[in-house]
Amino acid sequence: MTVATTKQQAPCGAWTSPIGAAVVAAGATPLAAIMFDGPDLYWLEGRASEAGRSTLTGPAGELTPAPFNVRSKVHEYGGGAYAVHDGVAWFSHHADTRLYRVEPGQAPVAVTLDNAHRYADFVVDAPRARLVSVREDHSAGGHYPVNTIAAIGFDGSETVLVEGNDFYAAPRISPDGSRLAWLCWDHPRMPWEGTELWLADIGADGTLLNGRMVAGGPQESICQPEWSPNGALHFVSDRSGWWNLYAFEHGVVQALCPREAEFGGPHWNFGGSLYGFAAGGDIVCAYVEGGVSRLARLRDGGLADIATPYEEIRELRVQGATVALLGGAPTVALELARIDLDTGAHAVLARSIGQLPPVDELSVPRSISYPSANGRTAHAFHYPPANARFAPQDGELPPLIVIGHGGPTGMAASTLKLSTQFWTSRGFAVLDVNYGGSTGFGRAYRDLLKGQWGVVDVEDCVAGARHLASQGLVDPERLLVRGSSAGGLTTLCALAFHDLFKAGACYYGVSDLAGLDADSHKFEAHYNEYLVAPKAQAAAVYRERSPIHHTDKLTRPMIFFQGLDDMVVPPQQSQSMVDALRARGVPVAYLSLAGEGHGFRKPESVVATLEAELVFYLRVFGIPVPAGLPALDIGNLPAA
């Protein structure tokens, strides 16, 4: 027998939700960097209760107790922070950037002795008693560090193997130990614009011989070089317009599976992996079509999907007949799963969220495509409000929060995120936009943002909000926009140059493009030449697009959030915007957070920012603020 239940009607935005800010902050355990060592699996877990410390976990449990934080600072975004061989692990410690060695049951021991070097993406070269690593040398004290590929002896000695390029990634040693492959690129390119794949022989003394470029160039992005067990070099290239799989063998490059799908992603972090080699020579891979990931087996050019519950696969590794992956779906938070290719058995080894809210409290998104400016089609995930006990008042349409993701070469995925459900369970609709420039839709879509940052991304966010409003799904008078980092620029430009959104939230967002150039770290020092304009034309275009020069056009209420240790977007950018809006009488709130960088890791920071943003929206729309939420100082807005 089915028992009918009546939901209580209440103003959208003020619904009582089981997904509080503390649940969002404490409920997520970041999972990353899975790696096999023989049959044993290792991965990184974040510790929200320990200021976001990242720890290495393996068959025997935690290998890196506090205060060790397994995290690299190379390129500022890091990744590739550890390697394991025969049960022994080497890792980069975030606090001092030194390399450490740790064996099960023992305390970590420092291998390198100074903190002038940073290391990432290292592989173990056991016969030569060394690691081969991307190294970033800050010892000269210049404006930018020097990047190389170096050999780090188990005794701590260091030898440069490859130098001369601005950037390096993915050193990979062939199975027989005789060859080394790597990626490199130079300013002004970013790695998703153009990279080179190089190959060299390893001499008897461990140095490299006969180095030669085997693929890539200024207009071809290559990622994820890997060796097959039989010694064939594989990689992912977008030479066809899509990141597809290729093999280099006997001097010839061969396409393995031409398809309008993405088998790789942009190199923001080291160590990414979306394919591996199974017993028998098959390739097991993840690919993205239409913003959704699938797992598949590639054999003799034929691609056969492998059923999983996941719609996003962030990384995977293969060992024999076993696949380990990080996957998620609309009702599945990111989890670490092990899949047996022979039997289909599926085991979950770790979950990013231990206890999920009931399914009837979750908003399940639908993937939508809609018309945008200049005949473009944009893509997004639409989350309607969802709550087991509450419904809108008669005739009420929900307010909409439009999210512009960071990157801006990122991709919005549909994996369950409590930070999104925090809003939908309170009566907000959410539109998570894959604007032109996003990954996952081919190079032509990604290149829509070339020279158009602050234009195309903004137009696609505006068009998405209008699309939902025209369908009667959201309240056209209560449209909000929020974003972080690059998405922060999208937010500011949407409010400055379009009269649609009623308020916005900017998390450590870019407001001054010229200032970003002046303060940027090496990895992104020339990124704006791709996103905005070459240096010869930059000054005029920067001024035209930088919100800091158009504060007279910002009339809508805004809230800003900024980590004071941010090395990517300097805190002064947010402070300048806040000061300008306050002086002009625009309602504005500002939360600066000590000890936080580019992205907030501390649980108290997550709680403070989410609750402040909620209170801000409620007060802007005149919705009663529920008891228990903190007071918020909103300059130029009359007290509630």
Side-chain angles (χ1 to χ4, degrees), residues 220 237-244 246 258-259 261 443:
E220 180 182 358
S237 166
D238 70 351
R239 60 176 60 188
S240 70
W242 298 83
W243 268 315
N244 280 187
Y246 294 82
R259 191 180 181 102
R443 178 148 188 163

Short mmCIF file of all heavy atoms in Angstrom, two decimals, residues 220 237-244 246 258-259 261 443:
data_model
loop_
_atom_site.label_atom_id
_atom_site.label_comp_id
_atom_site.label_asym_id
_atom_site.label_seq_id
_atom_site.Cartn_x
_atom_site.Cartn_y
_atom_site.Cartn_z
N GLU A 220 49.12 20.74 -31.64
CA GLU A 220 48.67 19.41 -31.26
C GLU A 220 48.90 19.19 -29.78
O GLU A 220 50.02 19.30 -29.31
CB GLU A 220 49.41 18.34 -32.07
CG GLU A 220 48.99 16.91 -31.73
CD GLU A 220 49.77 15.86 -32.51
OE1 GLU A 220 50.61 16.25 -33.36
OE2 GLU A 220 49.55 14.66 -32.28
N SER A 237 46.18 12.16 -28.25
CA SER A 237 46.42 13.37 -29.04
C SER A 237 45.11 13.92 -29.57
O SER A 237 44.17 13.15 -29.85
CB SER A 237 47.34 13.04 -30.22
OG SER A 237 47.34 14.10 -31.17
N ASP A 238 45.06 15.25 -29.72
CA ASP A 238 43.86 15.86 -30.31
C ASP A 238 44.09 16.27 -31.76
O ASP A 238 43.43 17.17 -32.28
CB ASP A 238 43.39 17.05 -29.47
CG ASP A 238 44.32 18.26 -29.56
OD1 ASP A 238 45.42 18.14 -30.14
OD2 ASP A 238 43.94 19.33 -29.04
N ARG A 239 45.02 15.60 -32.45
CA ARG A 239 45.32 15.95 -33.85
C ARG A 239 44.10 15.84 -34.74
O ARG A 239 44.02 16.49 -35.79
CB ARG A 239 46.46 15.09 -34.38
CG ARG A 239 46.17 13.59 -34.36
CD ARG A 239 47.29 12.77 -34.99
NE ARG A 239 48.57 12.96 -34.31
CZ ARG A 239 49.72 12.48 -34.75
NH1 ARG A 239 49.74 11.75 -35.87
NH2 ARG A 239 50.84 12.68 -34.08
N SER A 240 43.12 15.02 -34.39
CA SER A 240 41.90 14.87 -35.18
C SER A 240 40.82 15.87 -34.79
O SER A 240 39.76 15.93 -35.42
CB SER A 240 41.33 13.46 -35.00
OG SER A 240 40.80 13.30 -33.68
N GLY A 241 41.10 16.68 -33.76
CA GLY A 241 40.07 17.55 -33.20
C GLY A 241 39.45 16.98 -31.94
O GLY A 241 38.66 17.66 -31.27
N TRP A 242 39.82 15.73 -31.61
CA TRP A 242 39.35 15.08 -30.39
C TRP A 242 40.53 14.38 -29.75
O TRP A 242 41.39 13.83 -30.46
CB TRP A 242 38.24 14.07 -30.69
CG TRP A 242 37.02 14.70 -31.28
CD1 TRP A 242 36.81 15.02 -32.59
CD2 TRP A 242 35.85 15.11 -30.56
NE1 TRP A 242 35.58 15.61 -32.73
CE2 TRP A 242 34.96 15.68 -31.53
CE3 TRP A 242 35.46 15.07 -29.22
CZ2 TRP A 242 33.72 16.20 -31.17
CZ3 TRP A 242 34.22 15.57 -28.87
CH2 TRP A 242 33.36 16.13 -29.83
N TRP A 243 40.58 14.35 -28.42
CA TRP A 243 41.66 13.64 -27.74
C TRP A 243 41.43 12.14 -27.88
O TRP A 243 40.66 11.53 -27.12
CB TRP A 243 41.69 14.04 -26.25
CG TRP A 243 42.61 15.18 -25.95
CD1 TRP A 243 43.88 15.35 -26.40
CD2 TRP A 243 42.33 16.31 -25.11
NE1 TRP A 243 44.42 16.50 -25.89
CE2 TRP A 243 43.49 17.12 -25.10
CE3 TRP A 243 41.22 16.70 -24.36
CZ2 TRP A 243 43.58 18.29 -24.36
CZ3 TRP A 243 41.31 17.88 -23.63
CH2 TRP A 243 42.47 18.66 -23.64
N ASN A 244 42.09 11.53 -28.85
CA ASN A 244 41.94 10.11 -29.13
C ASN A 244 43.24 9.36 -28.83
O ASN A 244 44.30 9.96 -28.65
CB ASN A 244 41.57 9.89 -30.60
CG ASN A 244 40.09 10.12 -30.89
OD1 ASN A 244 39.63 9.86 -32.00
ND2 ASN A 244 39.33 10.62 -29.93
N TYR A 246 46.45 6.85 -29.55
CA TYR A 246 47.39 6.54 -30.61
C TYR A 246 48.50 5.66 -30.04
O TYR A 246 48.73 5.63 -28.82
CB TYR A 246 48.01 7.82 -31.19
CG TYR A 246 47.01 8.70 -31.91
CD1 TYR A 246 46.20 9.57 -31.20
CD2 TYR A 246 46.86 8.62 -33.29
CE1 TYR A 246 45.27 10.37 -31.85
CE2 TYR A 246 45.94 9.42 -33.96
CZ TYR A 246 45.14 10.29 -33.23
OH TYR A 246 44.22 11.08 -33.88
N PRO A 258 39.59 6.03 -33.79
CA PRO A 258 39.07 7.36 -34.16
C PRO A 258 37.61 7.51 -33.74
O PRO A 258 36.77 6.67 -34.07
CB PRO A 258 39.22 7.38 -35.69
CG PRO A 258 40.25 6.33 -36.00
CD PRO A 258 40.07 5.27 -34.95
N ARG A 259 37.34 8.58 -33.02
CA ARG A 259 35.98 8.75 -32.49
C ARG A 259 35.81 10.19 -32.03
O ARG A 259 36.76 10.80 -31.52
CB ARG A 259 35.76 7.80 -31.31
CG ARG A 259 34.31 7.67 -30.84
CD ARG A 259 34.26 6.70 -29.67
NE ARG A 259 32.91 6.50 -29.18
CZ ARG A 259 32.15 5.43 -29.45
NH1 ARG A 259 32.63 4.48 -30.22
NH2 ARG A 259 30.94 5.32 -28.94
N ALA A 261 35.08 11.71 -29.47
CA ALA A 261 35.01 11.54 -28.01
C ALA A 261 36.36 11.90 -27.45
O ALA A 261 37.38 11.92 -28.15
CB ALA A 261 34.62 10.11 -27.65
N ARG A 443 38.10 19.74 -29.58
CA ARG A 443 38.98 20.92 -29.59
C ARG A 443 38.26 22.15 -30.15
O ARG A 443 38.49 23.26 -29.67
CB ARG A 443 40.23 20.63 -30.41
CG ARG A 443 41.14 21.85 -30.50
CD ARG A 443 42.59 21.51 -30.57
NE ARG A 443 43.42 22.72 -30.48
CZ ARG A 443 44.71 22.72 -30.18
NH1 ARG A 443 45.32 21.58 -29.93
NH2 ARG A 443 45.39 23.84 -30.11
#
